[in-house]
Every structure is written in structure tokens, then in C-alpha cells.
Amino acid sequence: MRLGIKLSLASVIDRSGLVTALRRFRSTRSGIVLTFHRVLPQASIDTCYERQIAMTDTVFEQLLILLQREFRVVPLQQLVESQGSLDGLQRVALTFDDGWEDTYSLAYPLMLRYGVPATVFICPGLMGTNRLLPEERFVRIWRSCKSREQLHLLQNDLRKWTTCNSSSLEMHFWARRLKQLPMDAKHMMLAHLEDIYRVAGDGVRRFMTWDEARIMANNGMTFGSHTMNHSTLKVEQPEHIMEDLVSSRQMIARKLGREITQLAYPNGGYDHRVIELAAEAGYSYGLTTDNGYVTRYTRPLSIPRISMADAVVTDERTSLHFPRTRVYLQRFSDKSART
Ligand SMILES: [Zn+2]
């Protein structure tokens, strides 16, 4: 559906009072956990390797104003452990995945200003480094090959490395295949492709430092594990999963001086086996990329979330479209960004 039609429809639904009625009905039994990744200034929003996970800082601030005015923003643990809200406002908790530098430099000051808590899920192996997420490395290789008209060569390599015979020339298809590889195989493949197609890093630090994380932790922000290096847990061997879950939890606890009980599964990659191992490794809460609300039936180690980005809450001028955002928050979306 065209954006203009979507916005008009959202405005009509919002004015009709349906959204408010739905929110009141749901407020006694559910809460919403929102997922954010990157918050960037308008001028550098296109530096994000995946536009579907980026939100402009001005839009993020407008969203905080909306949440403060019409919702009850609470820490994740509080949202999961108790039901409903005494004042009838629907409860919402904020989560940030990956530990991007901009979560500290742009999102955090705004959250402080509006008194909004959040949980930040970090990868200890990436903190403070110039390293890239495997997913971003792949996008850079793809774009470089595309600009040099080498996509067919790259496709041949990808077919070999992923043992997939597809003739797709669609980047997201192969990005999804990449996410299904164990970390060792993924690293080997990416290093090989970067070498033969001569794709180098840009030396820009993307992830927050431990000092920055400590400042946030000392000012009301909660931290959780996103695995050591952003592994898709469900495709790893059980001993690797266990080692990663325990060592990442211990390292964050040691660096930040507090107990770590929350985990977000990278790429939404979890199953029953991962849940069992997470419980054994000492986690009480596991955050997924499944879309949905928290209800009394939600299991603490498979908590659904709703993905937030400019693409789902803005209008044509890229400012927050309040009716569209209200409508979006009241329904399940099928547009999750699995990172
Ligand atoms: Zn992630």
C-alpha cells in the first residue's frame, strides 16, 4: 500500500477512537517491548547498512514524547514480572540491540532527558572496536561487487559457501542464508570474500566502549547479553552455545559490576534447545524478534517484541506520524528486523 494511503487510513482509525479503546482493553493484560537498533542524525542515516533498523534522532525524540504522554514506560523486568498498570495506561519497555556507539551518544542523552529507562543488549567481543557485525560485512561485500558489476561472480561463491543452488541476485536472500551459518564458517566465508573482492573495513568505531556502558549502567540503564560476537545461537553446537552464553554473561557482569539476567537472541535465532541452555547459563529473560505483546502467558525466555524504525512510524517528511505510530503499536507487525 502506498505510504500516503497508509497515513490517511491510520489518521482515520486514530480519530475514530478505536486505537484508544483497544489500548484500554489491552492495558490490563499486556505490555509492549520495543526493539531499537540504530539512532542516527538525518545527515548520516544512510550510513546504516540496513535502513530497516535505523531511526532518525529527531523521530526518536518525538517517539519518546508520545510514549511519555500516552503510555507508561517501565523497565523490562517490571513489565514482565507484573501484569497491567494501575493508571490504565498501557506499559511499554524499550530495548536496544547490538550496543551501537549511537545508542550511547544519541539515544541515551534523549532517554535521560525524558526519564525513560531501557535495556541494552551488547556483544562483549565487539565493544569499543572497529569491527563490524557479520551482517554488515556481508552488505559491504555485496554493494562493492554490485558497483563493480561482479554480482554473478559473488553469487557463484555464495552458492559454494552456503551449499545453496539458488540463482537469486537479491541481497536479502543471501543475507538470510548467511545468518544460518555457524559463526566459524561465517567468519571464514566473509574473510575469504573480503580478500578476493578487496573489501576493507573503514576504521570507524561502531560500538560503544565499556566506559560508556558503565556511565549508562550507573544512570538507570540495564544491560544484557547479545552473545559474545553476534552468533545465531540455534545453528551452533550445544557446547559452543553454552560457552558463549556463560562467558558473555560473566564478562558483562565483571565489566559493569552488576548481575546480568537478560539475553537477546541475535538474528532471532532461538529454539527449545537454546532456551534450555540459556536457563542453565543463568538467564531469566530471553528476548526474541517474534512480533507480539507480552501477556500473562508469555514465557520469560521467549519474550516477543515490536521492531521500531523510521520505516514504520514516519510520514513522507520523515518526522513521526503520530496516528500511524499509535496504530502500529496496537497491532502485530510482520516487518521485523532480525538483527
Ligand atoms: Zn543484533
Side-chain angles (χ1 to χ4, degrees), residues 97-98 226 230 339:
D97 281 8
D98 306 330
H226 201 37
H230 211 258
T339 57

Side-chain angles (χ1 to χ4, degrees), residues 4-262:
I5 300 172
K6 264 189 195 174
L7 299 179
S8 308
L9 196 59
S11 298
V12 170
I13 295 171
D14 189 42
R15 273 202 304 273
S16 73
L18 259 178
V19 175
T20 310
L22 200 56
R23 191 157 60 214
R24 289 222 173 95
F25 168 68
R26 284 178 164 157
S27 67
T28 55
R29 65 180 175 90
S30 65
I32 310 171
V33 182
L34 305 180
T35 315
F36 297 86
H37 291 86
R38 304 205 67 177
V39 173
L40 293 164
Q42 181 66 48
S44 55
I45 199 87
D46 288 327
T47 61
C48 182
Y49 73 99
E50 169 60 270
R51 197 65 178 76
Q52 290 292 329
I53 63 166
M55 183 174 273
T56 317
D57 55 352
T58 50
V59 173
F60 181 65
E61 181 167 11
Q62 291 167 331
L63 178 67
L64 291 183
I65 292 168
L66 171 75
L67 294 176
Q68 279 293 56
R69 207 165 55 201
E70 302 183 17
F71 292 78
R72 175 71 53 216
V73 186
V74 297
L76 176 71
Q77 189 169 339
Q78 189 180 324
L79 185 140
V80 177
E81 286 187 353
S82 60
Q83 291 295 313
S85 160
L86 291 176
D87 54 15
L89 292 176
Q90 191 167 62
R91 297 176 316 153
V92 60
L94 273 58
T95 62
F96 286 79
D97 281 8
D98 306 330
W100 298 97
E101 185 278 332
D102 47 81
T103 301
Y104 171 76
S105 63
L106 287 171
Y108 167 61
L110 288 169
M111 290 191 286
L112 268 189
R113 185 183 306 166
Y114 292 96
V116 170
T119 296
V120 184
F121 292 100
I122 56 177
C123 299
L126 300 176
M127 293 289 280
T129 70
N130 296 344
R131 292 178 58 198
L132 307 177
L133 286 185
E135 293 74 17
E136 182 169 7
R137 288 170 69 188
F138 175 73
V139 170
R140 288 167 61 86
I141 294 166
W142 184 276
R143 288 184 181 154
S144 170
C145 287
K146 189 174 180 188
S147 70
R148 288 182 275 173
E149 298 185 351
Q150 291 180 319
L151 275 188
H152 282 93
L153 285 175
L154 176 62
Q155 183 208 48
N156 274 338
D157 286 318
L158 292 171
R159 286 162 70 150
K160 273 182 245 160
W161 280 90
T162 62
T163 60
C164 168
N165 281 326
S166 170
S167 55
S168 174
L169 278 174
E170 209 258 309
M171 184 180 76
H172 286 101
F173 172 84
W174 292 106
R176 282 195 297 276
R177 298 292 307 185
L178 175 87
K179 289 176 181 178
Q180 299 310 313
L181 293 179
M183 190 54 100
D184 286 350
K186 202 183 297 186
H187 270 313
M188 216 183 297
M189 179 185 101
L190 290 169
H192 173 77
L193 295 177
E194 283 165 347
D195 185 36
I196 59 171
Y197 293 107
R198 305 200 180 287
V199 180
D202 56 13
V204 176
R205 176 167 73 83
R206 281 165 174 70
F207 298 100
M208 66 174 70
T209 64
W210 287 110
D211 281 343
E212 291 166 345
R214 263 188 291 275
I215 292 170
M216 292 178 74
N218 290 337
N219 285 284
M221 301 294 154
T222 305
F223 279 79
S225 170
H226 201 37
T227 75
M228 205 51 124
N229 291 296
H230 211 258
S231 294
T232 306
L233 290 170
K234 73 174 182 184
V235 301
E236 301 287 346
Q237 293 299 316
E239 60 273 20
H240 288 166
I241 300 174
M242 197 58 182
E243 207 280 318
D244 190 313
L245 291 178
V246 170
S247 59
S248 60
R249 188 171 78 86
Q250 287 175 345
M251 186 183 286
I252 301 169
R254 195 171 62 245
K255 293 279 192 182
L256 301 184
R258 55 202 72 214
E259 199 189 351
I260 302 301
T261 59
Q262 302 179 18

Side-chain angles (χ1 to χ4, degrees), residues 266-320:
N267 300 318
Y270 78 103
D271 54 20
H272 291 298
R273 186 185 54 142
V274 172
I275 287 177
E276 277 171 26
L277 292 169
E280 212 178 307
Y283 293 94
S284 305
Y285 308 98
L287 284 295
T288 72
T289 54
D290 301 339
N291 285 283
Y293 296 97
V294 177
T295 72
R296 70 185 69 171
Y297 306 110
T298 298
R299 290 175 304 169
L301 281 163
S302 53
I303 297 170
R305 296 190 284 180
I306 295 180
S307 183
M308 301 301 286
D310 278 355
V312 291
V313 294
T314 54
D315 59 19
E316 283 136 327
R317 294 163 319 199
T318 61
S319 59
L320 190 83

